[in-house]
Each structure stands twice: as C-alpha cells, then as structure tokens.
Amino acid sequence: MMKSLRWSKVVFGCGRPTFLAAGSLQHQTLTTPMRTVADIASSFKHQRFFSSSNQTPSGDASEESSQGMAELRKARLGKIEAMTAEGMNPYSYTYQVTTNAVNLKEKYITLENGCEHTDTVSIAGRIMMRRFFGKLAFFEMQDQSGSIQLYVDKKKLGSEFKKLKDWTDSGDIIGVTGTLKRTEKGELSIFVTSWNMLTKALHPLPDKYHGLTDIKKRYAHRSVDMIVNPEVRNTLYLRSVIIKSIRR
C-alpha cells in the first residue's frame, strides 16, 4: 500500500535539505518543502565552512576565496535556469522511492560480480561524488541509511546522460530509477535508466578527504556536519530513538 512520508524535521545546509526520519522507505513518497531560489540563497550569506583549514584566510587570500565561491554559486544558478528552461523543476516537491541503500545491499548480497538483476528500484539521495569516464559515469549517492554507487551508461540513459553531466554537482539531491548491477570489482550499483533533480545545491560540499574538521564551524553549521560526518548523524538518530523509547 502506497504511503506518503511527510518529513517532521528538515535541516537545511548548503542549500540542500537533510531529512531526518525513522522507518522504512518501502513504497513511500519523498516529500520536500517548496522554497524559491532566493529563499535558499539568502540562507548562505554568512556561511564559510568550505575550507578544511582551521585558520581564517585574510587579505588577498580571503578575497580570492570569496570570489571563487561567488563564481561557483553563479554557475550553479545558471544550471538552475537551464533546467527550468527545459521544463525540469530543480526543487521538486515529491519523489516516489521503493527502497534505500542498506536494504539493497542486504537483499542483493548474493549477486555475483559482473552480473545484473532485472528488478527495478527507485531511490533518492545526495550526490557525494561524481566521476565521468567518457560515456560512463559513477556517482556515490548517500541517503538516510547509507551510501550506494550509481552506474550510469550513456547507451542506456540516452540524451539524459548529457543533462545529468551538465546539471548535477556534488551536494545535489537526486532521485534515480534503474536495475541492479554488481561491477567486476564487486561494487553493488544501481544501473540508472532515469533520473530527476530533487534539490539543486548552490554551494559545494566540504573537501571529501579533509572534511569539515574545524570544531567551531562544525558546531556553527550542524546540518553540514551531519552531511559529511555520518557518525554525527547516526548519534542524533540514536538519541531520537532512545528518547522515544523512554517516553513510551
């Protein structure tokens, strides 16, 4: 039976909502709040958490950093305009998902390397990394349960491959539909057949390898801290479960 999941708590960071909700995602509808680009952009006026350094840049270095971030934001706003012109809503209100990353890894644990499964699944999450190799692309997607790889082949995705390449960035929340495939190296992947933009990010995520290490910045921007540090997000989730159990 179809369910509609209305998120009771939404935390915004980097222009992208972080959804905090317990329970299974089986046949549920992902619901995000409607916000204009201006509303989202206004929330980043004072945010400076993209450098992994604990020292605040000054003088010319600070100005160059500000100019660089302004250019990145301008480029992403340009992508929003391009999507809108093509009829794609960069801030979709709903998306139907059928499973999550952890459930897929548990269900298809016996799928052998190099093999595919014909089951069709739909999943939504945040792009943590993109890698393009000619007509192939590999994305790392993270949802509330964990992460999973997206396997994107231009032959299978068709004209949408170029749009996916041109319009997406790290930090975006997208929804994808596809079949299951385990690569030759043993990585379970979703073989993407279609995709939708759910929330376009206006700023990049902190550096993947250094992360968000500045303690002051982590406490000042808790939503970003939960995005890049899964252990922080898990602690918050466990706290919620414990409090709920005590109240019962």
Coordinates of all heavy atoms in Angstrom, one line a residue, residues 139-226:
F139 N 28.6 7.6 -9.7 CA 28.2 8.5 -8.7 C 28.2 7.8 -7.3 O 27.8 6.6 -7.3 CB 26.8 9.1 -8.9 CG 26.7 10.1 -10.0 CD1 27.5 10.1 -11.1 CD2 25.7 11.1 -9.9 CE1 27.5 11.1 -12.1 CE2 25.6 12.1 -10.9 CZ 26.5 12.1 -12.0
E140 N 28.6 8.5 -6.3 CA 28.3 8.0 -4.9 C 27.1 8.7 -4.4 O 27.2 9.9 -4.2 CB 29.6 8.2 -4.0 CG 29.3 7.7 -2.6 CD 30.5 8.0 -1.7 OE1 31.6 8.4 -2.2 OE2 30.2 8.0 -0.5
M141 N 26.1 8.0 -4.1 CA 24.8 8.6 -3.5 C 24.7 8.2 -2.1 O 24.9 7.0 -1.7 CB 23.6 8.2 -4.3 CG 22.3 8.6 -3.7 SD 20.8 7.9 -4.5 CE 20.7 9.1 -5.9
Q142 N 24.3 9.1 -1.3 CA 24.1 8.9 0.2 C 22.6 9.2 0.5 O 22.2 10.3 0.3 CB 25.0 9.7 1.0 CG 24.8 9.6 2.5 CD 25.8 10.5 3.3 OE1 27.0 10.1 3.4 NE2 25.3 11.6 3.8
D143 N 21.9 8.2 1.1 CA 20.6 8.5 1.6 C 20.6 8.4 3.2 O 21.7 8.3 3.7 CB 19.5 7.6 1.0 CG 19.7 6.1 1.4 OD1 20.6 5.8 2.2 OD2 19.0 5.3 0.8
Q144 N 19.5 8.3 3.8 CA 19.5 8.3 5.3 C 20.0 7.0 5.9 O 20.3 7.0 7.1 CB 18.1 8.7 5.8 CG 17.1 7.5 5.9 CD 16.5 7.2 4.5 OE1 16.9 7.7 3.5 NE2 15.6 6.2 4.5
S145 N 20.1 6.0 5.1 CA 20.5 4.7 5.6 C 22.0 4.4 5.3 O 22.6 3.6 6.0 CB 19.7 3.6 4.9 OG 20.0 3.4 3.6
G146 N 22.5 5.0 4.3 CA 23.9 4.7 3.9 C 24.2 5.2 2.5 O 23.5 6.1 2.0
S147 N 25.2 4.6 1.9 CA 25.6 5.1 0.5 C 25.6 3.9 -0.5 O 25.7 2.7 -0.1 CB 27.0 5.7 0.5 OG 28.0 4.8 0.9
I148 N 25.4 4.2 -1.7 CA 25.4 3.2 -2.8 C 25.9 3.9 -4.1 O 25.8 5.1 -4.3 CB 24.0 2.6 -3.0 CG1 24.1 1.4 -3.9 CG2 23.1 3.6 -3.6 CD1 22.8 0.5 -3.9
Q149 N 26.5 3.1 -5.0 CA 27.0 3.6 -6.2 C 26.0 3.6 -7.3 O 25.2 2.7 -7.4 CB 28.2 2.7 -6.7 CG 28.9 3.2 -8.0 CD 30.1 2.4 -8.3 OE1 31.2 2.8 -7.8 NE2 30.0 1.3 -9.0
L150 N 26.0 4.6 -8.1 CA 25.2 4.7 -9.3 C 26.1 4.5 -10.5 O 27.1 5.1 -10.7 CB 24.5 6.1 -9.4 CG 23.7 6.6 -8.3 CD1 23.1 8.0 -8.6 CD2 22.7 5.6 -7.8
Y151 N 25.6 3.5 -11.4 CA 26.4 3.2 -12.6 C 25.6 3.8 -13.7 O 24.4 3.4 -14.0 CB 26.4 1.7 -12.7 CG 27.3 1.2 -13.9 CD1 28.6 0.8 -13.7 CD2 26.7 1.0 -15.1 CE1 29.3 0.3 -14.7 CE2 27.4 0.5 -16.2 CZ 28.8 0.2 -16.0 OH 29.5 -0.3 -17.1
V152 N 26.2 4.8 -14.4 CA 25.5 5.5 -15.5 C 26.2 5.2 -16.8 O 27.3 5.5 -17.0 CB 25.5 7.0 -15.2 CG1 24.6 7.7 -16.2 CG2 25.0 7.3 -13.8
D153 N 25.4 4.7 -17.8 CA 25.9 4.4 -19.1 C 25.1 5.2 -20.1 O 23.9 5.2 -20.1 CB 25.7 2.9 -19.4 CG 26.4 2.5 -20.7 OD1 26.7 3.3 -21.5 OD2 26.7 1.3 -20.8
K154 N 25.8 5.9 -21.0 CA 25.2 6.8 -21.9 C 24.3 6.0 -22.9 O 23.2 6.5 -23.3 CB 26.3 7.6 -22.7 CG 25.7 8.6 -23.7 CD 26.8 9.4 -24.4 CE 26.2 10.4 -25.3 NZ 27.2 11.2 -26.0
K155 N 24.7 4.8 -23.2 CA 23.9 4.0 -24.1 C 22.5 3.7 -23.5 O 21.5 3.6 -24.2 CB 24.6 2.6 -24.4 CG 25.9 2.8 -25.2 CD 26.5 1.4 -25.4 CE 27.8 1.6 -26.2 NZ 28.5 0.3 -26.4
K156 N 22.5 3.5 -22.2 CA 21.2 3.2 -21.5 C 20.4 4.4 -21.2 O 19.2 4.4 -21.2 CB 21.5 2.3 -20.3 CG 20.3 1.6 -19.7 CD 20.6 0.5 -18.8 CE 19.4 -0.3 -18.4 NZ 19.8 -1.4 -17.5
L157 N 21.1 5.5 -20.8 CA 20.4 6.7 -20.4 C 20.0 7.6 -21.5 O 19.1 8.5 -21.4 CB 21.3 7.5 -19.4 CG 20.6 8.5 -18.5 CD1 19.4 7.9 -17.7 CD2 21.6 9.1 -17.5
G158 N 20.7 7.5 -22.6 CA 20.4 8.3 -23.8 C 20.7 9.8 -23.7 O 21.8 10.1 -23.1
S159 N 19.8 10.6 -24.2 CA 20.1 12.1 -24.1 C 20.1 12.6 -22.7 O 20.7 13.7 -22.5 CB 19.0 12.8 -24.9 OG 17.7 12.5 -24.4
E160 N 19.6 11.9 -21.7 CA 19.6 12.4 -20.4 C 21.0 12.3 -19.8 O 21.2 12.9 -18.7 CB 18.6 11.5 -19.5 CG 17.2 11.7 -19.8 CD 16.7 13.2 -19.5 OE1 17.0 13.6 -18.4 OE2 16.1 13.8 -20.3
F161 N 21.9 11.6 -20.4 CA 23.3 11.5 -19.9 C 23.9 12.8 -19.9 O 24.6 13.2 -18.9 CB 24.1 10.5 -20.7 CG 25.5 10.3 -20.2 CD1 25.7 9.3 -19.3 CD2 26.5 11.0 -20.7 CE1 27.0 9.1 -18.8 CE2 27.8 10.8 -20.3 CZ 28.1 9.8 -19.3
K162 N 23.8 13.6 -21.0 CA 24.4 14.9 -21.0 C 23.8 15.9 -20.0 O 24.5 16.7 -19.4 CB 24.3 15.5 -22.4 CG 25.0 16.8 -22.7 CD 24.9 17.3 -24.1 CE 25.8 18.5 -24.3 NZ 25.5 19.6 -23.4
K163 N 22.5 15.8 -19.8 CA 21.8 16.6 -18.8 C 22.3 16.3 -17.4 O 22.6 17.2 -16.6 CB 20.3 16.5 -18.9 CG 19.7 17.0 -20.2 CD 18.2 16.7 -20.2 CE 17.6 17.2 -21.5 NZ 16.1 17.0 -21.5
L164 N 22.5 15.0 -17.1 CA 23.0 14.6 -15.8 C 24.4 15.1 -15.6 O 24.7 15.5 -14.5 CB 23.0 13.1 -15.7 CG 23.4 12.4 -14.4 CD1 22.4 12.8 -13.3 CD2 23.6 10.9 -14.6
K165 N 25.2 15.1 -16.6 CA 26.6 15.5 -16.5 C 26.7 17.0 -16.4 O 27.5 17.6 -15.6 CB 27.4 15.1 -17.8 CG 28.8 15.5 -17.8 CD 29.5 15.0 -19.0 CE 31.0 15.4 -19.0 NZ 31.7 14.9 -20.2
D166 N 25.8 17.8 -17.1 CA 25.9 19.2 -17.2 C 25.2 19.9 -16.0 O 25.6 21.0 -15.5 CB 25.3 19.8 -18.5 CG 26.1 19.4 -19.7 OD1 27.3 19.0 -19.5 OD2 25.6 19.5 -20.8
W167 N 24.2 19.3 -15.5 CA 23.3 19.9 -14.5 C 23.6 19.5 -13.0 O 23.2 20.2 -12.1 CB 21.8 19.7 -14.8 CG 21.4 20.3 -16.1 CD1 22.1 21.3 -16.8 CD2 20.2 20.1 -16.8 NE1 21.3 21.7 -17.9 CE2 20.2 21.0 -17.9 CE3 19.1 19.3 -16.5 CZ2 19.1 21.0 -18.8 CZ3 18.0 19.3 -17.4 CH2 18.0 20.2 -18.5
T168 N 24.2 18.4 -12.8 CA 24.4 17.9 -11.4 C 25.8 18.3 -10.9 O 26.7 18.5 -11.6 CB 24.3 16.4 -11.3 OG1 25.3 15.8 -12.2 CG2 22.9 15.9 -11.8
D169 N 25.8 18.4 -9.6 CA 27.1 18.7 -8.8 C 27.1 17.9 -7.5 O 26.0 17.5 -7.1 CB 27.2 20.2 -8.5 CG 27.4 21.1 -9.8 OD1 28.4 21.1 -10.4 OD2 26.4 21.7 -10.2
S170 N 28.2 17.9 -6.9 CA 28.2 17.3 -5.5 C 27.4 18.1 -4.6 O 27.4 19.3 -4.6 CB 29.7 17.2 -5.0 OG 30.2 18.5 -4.8
G171 N 26.6 17.4 -3.8 CA 25.7 18.1 -2.9 C 24.3 18.1 -3.3 O 23.4 18.3 -2.5
D172 N 24.0 17.9 -4.6 CA 22.6 17.9 -5.1 C 21.9 16.6 -4.6 O 22.5 15.6 -4.4 CB 22.6 17.8 -6.6 CG 23.2 19.1 -7.3 OD1 23.3 20.1 -6.6 OD2 23.4 19.0 -8.5
I173 N 20.6 16.8 -4.4 CA 19.8 15.6 -4.1 C 19.0 15.2 -5.3 O 18.3 16.1 -5.9 CB 18.8 15.9 -2.9 CG1 19.5 16.2 -1.6 CG2 17.8 14.8 -2.7 CD1 18.7 16.6 -0.5
I174 N 19.2 14.0 -5.8 CA 18.5 13.5 -7.0 C 17.8 12.2 -6.7 O 18.0 11.5 -5.7 CB 19.5 13.3 -8.1 CG1 20.5 12.2 -7.8 CG2 20.2 14.5 -8.5 CD1 21.4 11.7 -8.9
G175 N 16.8 11.9 -7.5 CA 16.2 10.6 -7.5 C 16.5 9.8 -8.8 O 16.5 10.4 -9.8
V176 N 16.7 8.5 -8.6 CA 17.1 7.7 -9.8 C 16.2 6.4 -9.8 O 15.8 5.9 -8.7 CB 18.6 7.3 -9.8 CG1 19.4 8.6 -10.0 CG2 19.0 6.5 -8.6
T177 N 16.0 5.9 -11.0 CA 15.3 4.6 -11.2 C 16.3 3.8 -12.0 O 16.9 4.3 -13.0 CB 14.0 4.8 -11.9 OG1 13.1 5.5 -11.0 CG2 13.3 3.4 -12.1
G178 N 16.3 2.5 -11.7 CA 17.2 1.6 -12.5 C 17.2 0.2 -12.0 O 16.4 -0.2 -11.1
T179 N 18.0 -0.7 -12.6 CA 18.1 -2.1 -12.2 C 19.4 -2.2 -11.4 O 20.2 -1.3 -11.2 CB 18.2 -3.0 -13.5 OG1 19.2 -2.5 -14.3 CG2 16.9 -2.9 -14.2
L180 N 19.6 -3.4 -10.9 CA 20.8 -3.7 -10.0 C 21.9 -4.3 -10.8 O 21.7 -5.2 -11.7 CB 20.4 -4.6 -8.9 CG 19.8 -3.9 -7.6 CD1 20.7 -2.9 -7.1 CD2 18.4 -3.3 -8.0
K181 N 23.1 -3.9 -10.5 CA 24.3 -4.5 -11.2 C 25.4 -4.5 -10.2 O 25.6 -3.5 -9.5 CB 24.7 -3.6 -12.4 CG 26.0 -3.9 -13.1 CD 26.3 -2.9 -14.2 CE 27.6 -3.2 -14.9 NZ 27.6 -4.4 -15.7
R182 N 26.2 -5.6 -10.2 CA 27.4 -5.6 -9.4 C 28.6 -5.6 -10.4 O 28.7 -6.4 -11.3 CB 27.5 -6.9 -8.6 CG 28.6 -6.8 -7.5 CD 28.6 -8.1 -6.6 NE 27.4 -8.1 -5.8 CZ 27.3 -7.5 -4.6 NH1 28.2 -6.6 -4.2 NH2 26.2 -7.6 -3.9
T183 N 29.4 -4.6 -10.2 CA 30.6 -4.4 -11.1 C 31.6 -5.5 -11.0 O 31.5 -6.4 -10.1 CB 31.3 -3.1 -10.8 OG1 31.9 -3.1 -9.5 CG2 30.3 -1.9 -10.8
E184 N 32.5 -5.6 -11.9 CA 33.6 -6.6 -11.9 C 34.4 -6.5 -10.6 O 35.0 -7.5 -10.2 CB 34.5 -6.4 -13.1 CG 33.8 -6.7 -14.4 CD 33.3 -8.1 -14.6 OE1 33.9 -9.0 -13.9 OE2 32.5 -8.4 -15.5
K185 N 34.5 -5.3 -10.0 CA 35.2 -5.1 -8.8 C 34.4 -5.4 -7.5 O 34.9 -5.3 -6.4 CB 35.8 -3.7 -8.7 CG 36.8 -3.4 -9.8 CD 37.4 -2.0 -9.6 CE 38.5 -1.8 -10.6 NZ 39.1 -0.4 -10.4
G186 N 33.2 -5.8 -7.7 CA 32.3 -6.3 -6.6 C 31.5 -5.2 -6.0 O 30.9 -5.4 -4.9
E187 N 31.3 -4.0 -6.6 CA 30.5 -2.9 -6.0 C 29.1 -3.0 -6.5 O 28.8 -2.9 -7.7 CB 31.1 -1.6 -6.4 CG 30.5 -0.4 -5.7 CD 30.8 -0.3 -4.3 OE1 31.8 -0.8 -3.8 OE2 29.9 0.3 -3.5
L188 N 28.1 -3.2 -5.6 CA 26.7 -3.2 -5.9 C 26.3 -1.8 -6.4 O 26.6 -0.8 -5.7 CB 25.9 -3.6 -4.8 CG 24.4 -3.7 -5.1 CD1 24.1 -4.8 -6.1 CD2 23.6 -3.9 -3.8
S189 N 25.7 -1.7 -7.6 CA 25.4 -0.4 -8.2 C 24.0 -0.4 -8.7 O 23.4 -1.5 -9.1 CB 26.4 -0.1 -9.3 OG 27.7 -0.2 -8.9
I190 N 23.4 0.8 -8.8 CA 22.1 1.0 -9.5 C 22.4 1.4 -10.9 O 23.1 2.4 -11.2 CB 21.3 2.0 -8.8 CG1 20.9 1.6 -7.4 CG2 20.0 2.3 -9.6 CD1 20.1 2.6 -6.6
F191 N 22.0 0.5 -11.9 CA 22.2 0.8 -13.3 C 21.1 1.8 -13.7 O 20.0 1.4 -14.0 CB 22.1 -0.5 -14.1 CG 22.8 -0.5 -15.4 CD1 23.0 -1.7 -16.1 CD2 23.3 0.7 -16.0 CE1 23.6 -1.7 -17.4 CE2 24.0 0.7 -17.2 CZ 24.1 -0.5 -17.9
V192 N 21.4 3.0 -13.8 CA 20.4 4.1 -13.9 C 19.8 4.1 -15.3 O 20.4 4.1 -16.3 CB 21.1 5.5 -13.7 CG1 20.1 6.6 -13.8 CG2 21.7 5.5 -12.3
T193 N 18.4 4.2 -15.3 CA 17.6 4.3 -16.5 C 16.9 5.6 -16.6 O 16.5 6.1 -17.7 CB 16.6 3.2 -16.6 OG1 15.8 3.2 -15.4 CG2 17.3 1.8 -16.7
S194 N 16.7 6.3 -15.5 CA 16.1 7.7 -15.5 C 16.5 8.4 -14.2 O 16.9 7.7 -13.2 CB 14.6 7.6 -15.6 OG 14.0 7.0 -14.4
W195 N 16.4 9.7 -14.2 CA 16.8 10.5 -13.0 C 16.0 11.8 -13.0 O 15.4 12.2 -14.0 CB 18.3 10.8 -13.1 CG 18.6 11.9 -14.0 CD1 18.8 11.8 -15.4 CD2 18.9 13.3 -13.7 NE1 19.1 13.0 -16.0 CE2 19.2 13.9 -15.0 CE3 18.9 14.0 -12.6 CZ2 19.4 15.3 -15.1 CZ3 19.2 15.4 -12.7 CH2 19.5 16.0 -13.9
N196 N 15.9 12.3 -11.8 CA 15.2 13.6 -11.5 C 16.0 14.4 -10.5 O 16.5 13.9 -9.5 CB 13.8 13.4 -11.0 CG 12.8 12.7 -12.0 OD1 12.8 11.5 -12.1 ND2 12.1 13.6 -12.7
M197 N 16.0 15.7 -10.8 CA 16.6 16.6 -9.8 C 15.6 16.9 -8.7 O 14.4 17.3 -9.0 CB 17.1 17.9 -10.5 CG 17.7 19.0 -9.5 SD 19.2 18.4 -8.8 CE 20.3 18.6 -10.2
L198 N 16.0 16.7 -7.5 CA 15.1 17.0 -6.4 C 15.4 18.3 -5.6 O 14.5 19.1 -5.2 CB 15.1 15.8 -5.4 CG 14.7 14.5 -6.0 CD1 14.7 13.4 -4.9 CD2 13.4 14.5 -6.7
T199 N 16.7 18.5 -5.4 CA 17.1 19.8 -4.8 C 18.5 20.1 -5.3 O 19.5 19.4 -5.1 CB 17.2 19.6 -3.2 OG1 16.0 19.2 -2.7 CG2 17.6 20.9 -2.6
K200 N 18.6 21.3 -6.0 CA 19.9 21.7 -6.5 C 20.6 22.5 -5.5 O 20.2 23.4 -4.9 CB 19.6 22.6 -7.7 CG 20.9 23.2 -8.4 CD 21.7 22.1 -9.0 CE 23.1 22.6 -9.4 NZ 23.9 21.5 -9.8
A201 N 21.9 22.1 -5.3 CA 22.8 22.7 -4.3 C 23.4 24.0 -4.8 O 23.8 24.0 -6.0 CB 23.8 21.8 -3.8
L202 N 23.4 25.0 -4.1 CA 24.1 26.3 -4.5 C 25.5 26.4 -4.1 O 26.2 27.2 -4.6 CB 23.3 27.5 -4.0 CG 21.8 27.6 -4.4 CD1 21.2 28.9 -3.8 CD2 21.7 27.6 -5.9
H203 N 26.0 25.5 -3.2 CA 27.4 25.5 -2.8 C 27.9 24.1 -2.7 O 27.1 23.2 -2.5 CB 27.5 26.1 -1.4 CG 27.4 27.6 -1.3 ND1 28.3 28.5 -2.0 CD2 26.4 28.4 -0.8 CE1 27.9 29.7 -1.7 NE2 26.8 29.7 -1.0
P204 N 29.2 23.9 -2.9 CA 29.7 22.5 -2.9 C 29.8 22.1 -1.5 O 29.8 22.8 -0.5 CB 31.1 22.7 -3.5 CG 31.5 24.1 -3.2 CD 30.2 24.9 -3.3
L205 N 30.0 20.7 -1.3 CA 30.3 20.2 0.0 C 31.7 20.5 0.4 O 32.6 20.8 -0.4 CB 30.1 18.6 -0.1 CG 28.7 18.2 -0.3 CD1 28.7 16.6 -0.5 CD2 27.7 18.6 0.8
P206 N 32.0 20.4 1.7 CA 33.4 20.5 2.1 C 34.3 19.4 1.5 O 33.8 18.4 1.0 CB 33.3 20.3 3.6 CG 31.9 20.6 4.0 CD 31.1 20.2 2.8
D207 N 35.6 19.7 1.4 CA 36.5 18.8 0.8 C 36.3 17.3 1.3 O 36.2 17.1 2.5 CB 37.9 19.2 1.1 CG 39.0 18.3 0.4 OD1 39.3 18.5 -0.8 OD2 39.5 17.4 1.1
K208 N 36.2 16.4 0.3 CA 35.9 15.0 0.7 C 36.9 14.4 1.6 O 36.6 13.6 2.5 CB 35.7 14.2 -0.6 CG 35.4 12.7 -0.3 CD 35.1 11.9 -1.5 CE 34.9 10.4 -1.2 NZ 33.8 10.2 -0.3
Y209 N 38.2 14.6 1.3 CA 39.3 14.0 2.0 C 39.6 14.6 3.4 O 40.0 13.9 4.3 CB 40.5 13.9 1.1 CG 40.3 13.0 -0.1 CD1 40.0 13.6 -1.3 CD2 40.3 11.7 0.0 CE1 39.8 12.9 -2.4 CE2 40.1 10.9 -1.1 CZ 39.8 11.5 -2.3 OH 39.6 10.7 -3.4
H210 N 39.5 15.9 3.5 CA 39.7 16.6 4.7 C 38.5 16.8 5.6 O 38.5 16.9 6.8 CB 40.4 18.0 4.5 CG 41.7 17.9 3.8 ND1 41.9 17.9 2.4 CD2 43.0 17.7 4.3 CE1 43.2 17.8 2.1 NE2 43.9 17.7 3.3
G211 N 37.4 16.9 4.9 CA 36.1 17.0 5.5 C 35.9 18.4 6.3 O 36.7 19.3 6.1
L212 N 35.0 18.4 7.2 CA 34.7 19.6 8.0 C 35.3 19.3 9.4 O 34.7 18.7 10.2 CB 33.2 19.8 8.1 CG 32.7 21.1 8.8 CD1 33.2 22.3 8.1 CD2 31.2 21.1 8.9
T213 N 36.5 19.8 9.6 CA 37.3 19.4 10.8 C 37.3 20.5 11.8 O 37.6 20.3 13.0 CB 38.8 19.1 10.4 OG1 39.4 20.2 9.7 CG2 38.8 17.8 9.5
D214 N 37.1 21.8 11.4 CA 37.1 22.9 12.3 C 36.0 22.7 13.3 O 34.8 22.7 12.9 CB 37.0 24.2 11.6 CG 37.3 25.4 12.5 OD1 36.6 25.5 13.6 OD2 38.1 26.3 12.1
I215 N 36.3 22.6 14.6 CA 35.2 22.4 15.6 C 34.2 23.5 15.7 O 33.0 23.2 15.8 CB 35.9 22.2 17.0 CG1 36.8 21.0 17.0 CG2 34.8 22.0 18.1 CD1 36.1 19.7 16.7
K216 N 34.7 24.7 15.6 CA 33.8 25.9 15.7 C 32.8 25.9 14.5 O 31.6 26.1 14.7 CB 34.6 27.2 15.7 CG 35.4 27.4 17.0 CD 36.1 28.7 17.0 CE 36.8 29.0 18.3 NZ 37.6 30.3 18.3
K217 N 33.4 25.6 13.3 CA 32.5 25.5 12.1 C 31.5 24.4 12.2 O 30.4 24.5 11.8 CB 33.4 25.4 10.9 CG 34.2 26.7 10.6 CD 35.0 26.5 9.4 CE 35.9 27.7 9.1 NZ 36.8 27.5 7.9
R218 N 31.9 23.3 12.8 CA 31.1 22.1 12.9 C 29.9 22.4 13.8 O 28.7 22.1 13.5 CB 31.8 20.9 13.5 CG 32.8 20.3 12.5 CD 33.5 19.1 13.1 NE 32.6 18.0 13.5 CZ 32.9 16.9 14.1 NH1 34.2 16.7 14.4 NH2 32.0 16.0 14.4
Y219 N 30.1 23.1 14.9 CA 29.0 23.5 15.8 C 28.2 24.6 15.3 O 27.0 24.7 15.6 CB 29.6 23.9 17.2 CG 29.9 22.7 18.1 CD1 31.2 22.2 18.2 CD2 28.9 22.0 18.7 CE1 31.5 21.1 19.0 CE2 29.2 20.9 19.5 CZ 30.5 20.5 19.7 OH 30.8 19.4 20.4
A220 N 28.8 25.5 14.5 CA 28.0 26.6 13.9 C 27.1 26.1 12.7 O 26.1 26.8 12.4 CB 29.0 27.7 13.4
H221 N 27.5 25.0 12.1 CA 26.8 24.6 10.9 C 26.5 23.1 11.1 O 27.1 22.2 10.4 CB 27.6 24.8 9.6 CG 28.0 26.3 9.5 ND1 27.1 27.3 9.2 CD2 29.2 26.8 9.6 CE1 27.8 28.4 9.1 NE2 29.0 28.2 9.4
R222 N 25.6 22.7 12.0 CA 25.4 21.4 12.4 C 24.8 20.5 11.2 O 25.1 19.4 11.1 CB 24.4 21.3 13.5 CG 25.0 21.9 14.8 CD 26.3 21.2 15.3 NE 26.0 19.9 15.9 CZ 27.0 19.0 16.2 NH1 28.2 19.3 15.9 NH2 26.7 17.9 16.8
S223 N 24.0 21.2 10.3 CA 23.4 20.4 9.2 C 24.5 20.0 8.3 O 24.5 18.8 7.8 CB 22.4 21.3 8.5 OG 23.1 22.5 8.0
V224 N 25.5 20.8 8.0 CA 26.6 20.4 7.1 C 27.5 19.3 7.8 O 27.9 18.4 7.2 CB 27.5 21.6 6.8 CG1 28.6 21.2 5.8 CG2 26.7 22.7 6.2
D225 N 27.6 19.4 9.1 CA 28.4 18.5 9.9 C 27.7 17.1 9.8 O 28.4 16.1 9.6 CB 28.4 18.9 11.4 CG 29.4 18.0 12.2 OD1 30.3 17.4 11.6 OD2 29.2 18.0 13.4
M226 N 26.4 17.0 9.8 CA 25.7 15.8 9.7 C 25.8 15.2 8.3 O 25.7 14.0 8.1 CB 24.2 15.9 10.1 CG 24.1 16.1 11.6 SD 22.3 16.0 12.1 CE 21.8 17.7 11.5

